[in-house]
Amino acid sequence: MFEDNDISGVDHKKRSGFQKLIADIEQSLIDMVAAPEQPRLERNCSEGAQIIGTSQRNGVLLAFVKDNEIDATAAAGRLVAGFMSSMAHHEIVVRGECQSRAQRQRSEQGRAPKGVRPIDYATNDHVIQDEAIAWRSRRTIWHSLEALRSGR
C-alpha cells in the first residue's frame, strides 16, 4: 500500500508514496493500481501524465472505487484518463480562483478574511482598536529595526 495523505497537488510537493508506486510499476512489481478516485491518485497534470504513461508501458490496469477501471494500454483508456486528469486539475484551479476572488472581494469591502481570525479584526468584521494600534506599533518598530540593519 502506498499512502500520501494530506499532500496537496497544488504546490507540487514530492510525494514519496507516489514515486515508490511509479518505481514499482516500472520494475513490473505491480499489475493493477486501485485508488478511491483518479484525483486522489494523481494530484496534478504532470503526475497524471506520469501514471498514465508508466501504466501504459507496463500494462498496468488503473481501478477506481468511485469510477470505472482504466486500461492505460488502450487508446480509449488513455483518452479517458487524460480527460479525467485535466478535469481534476481544472477543478483545483477554479476552486483556487473562486477562493482568491472571494478573499479579494471581502478585502475590498473592508471585511476580515475568512479562516483564522486575523489580528485586529473581530469575527463580525469590526476592527478591534487596541489590537490594531498594537499591530501598527509592532509593524513600525519592525520596519525601523530593518532600516537600522540595512543601514538606510
Side-chain angles (χ1 to χ4, degrees), residues 8-28:
S8 170
V10 176
D11 52 13
H12 296 275
K13 286 182 183 172
K14 293 289 183 200
R15 296 172 54 208
S16 58
F18 182 81
Q19 296 306 321
K20 173 92 171 89
L21 172 66
I22 295 294
D24 284 0
I25 292 171
E26 288 174 342
Q27 294 174 15
S28 299

Side-chain angles (χ1 to χ4, degrees), residues 94-146:
V94 168
R95 184 174 53 237
E97 289 173 353
C98 288
Q99 289 171 342
S100 294
R101 191 169 33 255
Q103 293 289 45
R104 195 169 39 255
Q105 185 177 23
R106 290 180 69 78
S107 174
E108 289 166 357
Q109 294 169 347
R111 298 167 54 206
K114 288 271 189 189
V116 176
R117 183 183 74 82
I119 295 173
D120 75 0
Y121 277 99
T123 54
N124 62 359
D125 295 335
H126 292 102
V127 174
I128 301 171
Q129 289 302 323
D130 292 344
E131 284 186 16
I133 291 167
W135 184 249
R136 280 193 292 274
S137 298
R138 278 188 224 124
R139 208 171 41 214
T140 301
I141 291 168
W142 176 260
H143 288 301
S144 298
L145 290 171
E146 285 296 307

Side-chain angles (χ1 to χ4, degrees), residues 30-47:
I30 295 173
D31 59 3
M32 184 178 90
V33 174
E37 56 187 332
Q38 190 170 357
R40 302 310 307 157
L41 175 61
E42 55 185 72
R43 305 287 172 87
N44 54 56
C45 288
S46 61
E47 285 183 359

Side-chain angles (χ1 to χ4, degrees), residues 1 7-8 22 27 29-30 40 42 48-49 54 57 59-60 64 66 69 74 81 86 89 92-93 105-106 139 141 150:
M1 178 178 304
I7 298 178
S8 170
I22 295 294
Q27 294 174 15
L29 300 175
I30 295 173
R40 302 310 307 157
E42 55 185 72
T54 305
R57 287 189 304 278
V60 171
F64 304 103
K66 295 182 181 178
E69 295 174 347
S86 294
H89 179 69
I92 291 168
V93 171
Q105 185 177 23
R106 290 180 69 78
R139 208 171 41 214
I141 291 168
S150 65

